[in-house]
Amino acid sequence: MTQDMKEVARFILGLRSAGWTEKQINDFMLYIESGEEQYMPKHEITEEN
């Protein structure tokens, strides 16, 4: 499956609106392309009030 630049831009904007940092987005994109575990997103535990 290939994505055009419009789809990639929407993907990035969606992650930004979900509160992801630029580093988290970049690492996730590296994980998708490379499959390297070091870039796999980590589940963050947060407290919700």
Side-chain angles (χ1 to χ4, degrees), residues 12 15-16 19-29:
I12 292 169
L15 292 176
R16 283 180 179 171
W20 286 43
T21 66
E22 295 301 314
K23 177 161 178 20
Q24 288 172 315
I25 293 169
N26 290 336
D27 284 352
F28 186 51
M29 293 177 74

Side-chain angles (χ1 to χ4, degrees), residues 42-48:
K42 308 290 189 279
H43 179 69
E44 296 181 16
I45 299 173
T46 58
E47 286 187 34
E48 293 188 20

Side-chain angles (χ1 to χ4, degrees), residues 25-40:
I25 293 169
N26 290 336
D27 284 352
F28 186 51
M29 293 177 74
L30 286 169
Y31 174 69
I32 290 169
E33 278 296 314
S34 70
E36 293 184 33
E37 296 292 319
Q38 66 182 348
Y39 300 117
M40 181 188 284

